[in-house]
């Protein structure tokens, strides 16, 4: 792909995300308004619509990648994306349920360039608000008169259980030593934690388009593989991302001793740099010098290159799944643009 093609693809994806926000945000805001007062306040803060003191804020709820996948999948399979807006909102609520809980579990104090909800309102309120968001997502589908809503609800709840299993596996891996984790374990965890929801988003779009089971399964496969590519790039950003763009400290994942995919690829590489990285991961690693040394060790051990190459491989697998559901390349153009966007981003 030339730089011109990449720029055009990025522009197309940005336009898709903007249209998605325009279509979904009013319904998302209306849904959040139905939450009880104290919970609603935390939710509005988390989405960037309100400041901690309750005054209006101009922040965005996020990139809207998952709801965009729902609508793009519906459109690619000949459905009416407007009929799938409720499902798109449900997926976005479920995603933000995971963000609220992840921030608590990881003790992250910054998201979207400001303090996380738990850092402002406390752990109980953040966890409870996440729970309420998930319940609200399921209620939206339960109340949807669309004939596939029951099937969509089952699919989303099954996905959430998988997400929880992925999160539990992630936490369990963090408790193990740096030389006691395999790459296959980490890939399985990332697929459950990230790929499952992107796959579910695409599958819901297919369901709302009236697609058959084989197409729904293929769309789920597309989203899962694109989601794993997304996670690989996200892990790279977690090490080498620009604080000005990410809103998080440089090397935040290293400071937290996260066993992200590039890190585990480096730890298991059998190189001298892997030995250095293992030693750093056994220590505190809380000074800028140690974080820089760890990032350099990941790079020299091949973790960075492996993650970039594997992200490309997973995108190729995603395209294969998409071609099974949407034979016409033009029909799947929006989905491909979104997938390329999330695997080429830098923040």
């Amino acid at each position: 792909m030339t730089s011109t093609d990449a720029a055009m693809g990025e522009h197309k994806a940005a336009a898709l995300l903007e249209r998605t926000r325009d279509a979904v945000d009013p319904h998302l805001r209306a849904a959040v308004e139905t939450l009880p007062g104290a919970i609603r306040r935390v939710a509005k803060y988390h989405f960037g619509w309100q400041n901690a003191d309750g005054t209006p804020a101009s922040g965005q709820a996020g990139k809207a990648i998952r709801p965009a996948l729902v609508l793009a999948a519906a459109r690619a399979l000949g459905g009416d994306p407007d009929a799938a807006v409720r499902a798109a909102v449900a997926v976005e609520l479920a995603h933000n349920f995971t963000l609220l809980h992840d921030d608590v579990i990881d003790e992250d104090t910054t998201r979207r360039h400001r303090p996380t909800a738990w850092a402002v309102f406390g752990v109980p309120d953040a966890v409870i608000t996440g729970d309420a968001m998930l319940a609200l997502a399921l209620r939206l589908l339960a109340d949807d008169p669309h004939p596939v809503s029951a099937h969509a609800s089952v699919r989303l709840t099954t996905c959430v259980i998988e997400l929880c299993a992925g999160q539990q596996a992630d936490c369990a891996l963090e408790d193990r030593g740096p030389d006691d984790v395999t790459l296959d374990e980490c890939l399985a965890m990332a697929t459950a934690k990230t790929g499952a929801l992107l796959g579910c988003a695409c599958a819901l779009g297919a369901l709302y388009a009236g697609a058959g089971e084989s197409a729904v399964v293929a769309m789920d496969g597309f989203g899962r593989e694109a989601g794993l590519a997304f996670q690989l790039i996200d892990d790279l950003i977690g090490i080498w991302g620009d604080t000005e763009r990410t809103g998080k400290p440089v090397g935040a994942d290293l400071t937290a001793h996260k066993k992200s995919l590039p890190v585990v690829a480096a730890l298991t590489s059998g190189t001298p740099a892997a030995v250095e990285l293992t030693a750093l991961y056994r220590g505190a690693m809380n000074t800028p010098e140690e974080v820089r040394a760890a990032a350099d060790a990941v790079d020299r051990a091949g973790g960075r290159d492996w993650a970039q190459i594997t992200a490309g491989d997973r995108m190729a697998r995603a395209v294969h799944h998409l071609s099974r559901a949407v034979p016409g390349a033009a029909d799947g153009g929006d989905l491909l643009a979104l997938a390329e966007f999330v695997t080429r981003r830098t923040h």
Side-chain angles (χ1 to χ4, degrees):
M1 179 182 285
T2 67
S3 58
T4 301
D5 289 338
M8 289 178 62
E10 186 169 342
H11 177 75
K12 181 177 182 178
L16 281 168
L17 293 171
E18 186 63 30
R19 289 204 304 272
T20 298
R21 282 191 290 268
D22 289 343
V24 170
D25 273 9
H27 298 275
L28 179 61
R29 287 175 180 265
V32 169
E33 284 293 341
T34 68
L35 293 171
I39 294 174
R40 182 171 67 244
R41 181 181 176 188
V42 178
K44 284 185 168 184
Y45 174 84
H46 168 76
F47 279 121
W49 303 332
Q50 243 179 220
N51 296 311
D53 62 4
T55 57
S58 57
Q60 286 187 340
K63 293 184 178 69
I65 290 166
R66 290 154 191 83
L69 287 171
V70 175
L71 303 186
R75 190 162 44 244
L77 289 163
D80 177 7
D82 289 342
V85 166
R86 190 184 290 249
V89 173
V91 166
E92 187 69 350
L93 285 167
H95 171 54
N96 281 276
F97 141 75
T98 69
L99 297 183
L100 280 161
H101 283 205
D102 281 358
D103 286 343
V104 170
I105 292 168
D106 296 339
E107 298 183 348
D108 284 338
T109 56
T110 305
R111 179 173 293 280
R112 298 169 184 155
H113 301 279
R114 62 180 190 162
T116 47
W118 76 265
V120 174
F121 299 99
V123 169
D125 278 0
V127 171
I128 289 166
T129 301
D131 294 342
M133 280 190 194
L134 177 57
L136 182 58
L138 296 175
R139 189 178 75 187
L140 283 176
L141 291 178
D143 286 344
D144 190 353
H146 196 285
V148 302
S149 62
H151 191 172
S153 182
V154 170
R155 197 152 198 119
L156 182 58
T157 52
T158 302
C159 171
V160 170
I161 292 169
E162 186 177 356
L163 287 173
C164 291
Q167 180 63 64
Q168 191 280 329
D170 190 19
C171 293
L173 290 175
E174 295 306 311
D175 291 336
R176 287 158 57 181
D179 52 359
D180 186 33
V181 177
T182 70
L183 201 47
D184 284 346
E185 286 178 300
C186 287
L187 285 166
M189 176 272 293
T191 300
K193 206 179 156 190
T194 303
L197 189 56
L198 270 71
C200 182
C202 295
L204 292 188
L207 281 174
Y208 274 77
E213 183 61 20
S214 62
V216 172
V217 170
M219 291 300 288
D220 182 84
F222 165 77
R224 280 175 178 270
E225 295 293 353
L228 189 50
F230 174 99
Q231 186 61 57
L232 284 155
I233 300 304
D234 201 57
D235 286 350
L236 290 172
I237 292 169
I239 299 173
W240 290 284
D242 180 356
T243 298
E244 293 271 324
R245 306 185 75 179
T246 65
K248 293 187 177 185
V250 172
D253 284 2
L254 296 173
T255 304
H257 292 67
K258 281 183 178 285
K259 296 183 181 72
S260 62
L261 289 163
V263 167
V264 175
L267 286 170
T268 57
S269 66
T271 61
V275 177
E276 295 174 34
L277 185 61
T278 299
L280 286 163
Y281 257 64
R282 290 191 185 282
M285 202 163 59
N286 52 15
T287 68
E289 293 76 20
E290 287 173 322
V291 170
R292 281 195 294 270
D296 180 61
V298 173
D299 198 1
R300 287 186 289 111
R304 190 176 196 166
D305 287 344
W306 174 87
Q308 290 170 333
I309 291 167
T310 304
D313 175 62
R314 294 294 176 161
M315 269 304 301
R317 297 188 194 191
V319 171
H320 174 70
H321 283 294
L322 182 62
S323 68
R324 289 169 47 217
V326 187
D331 292 333
D334 288 354
L335 287 166
L336 286 174
L338 290 168
E340 288 286 347
F341 173 79
V342 300
T343 54
R344 290 180 182 275
R345 74 198 200 288
T346 57
H347 64 289

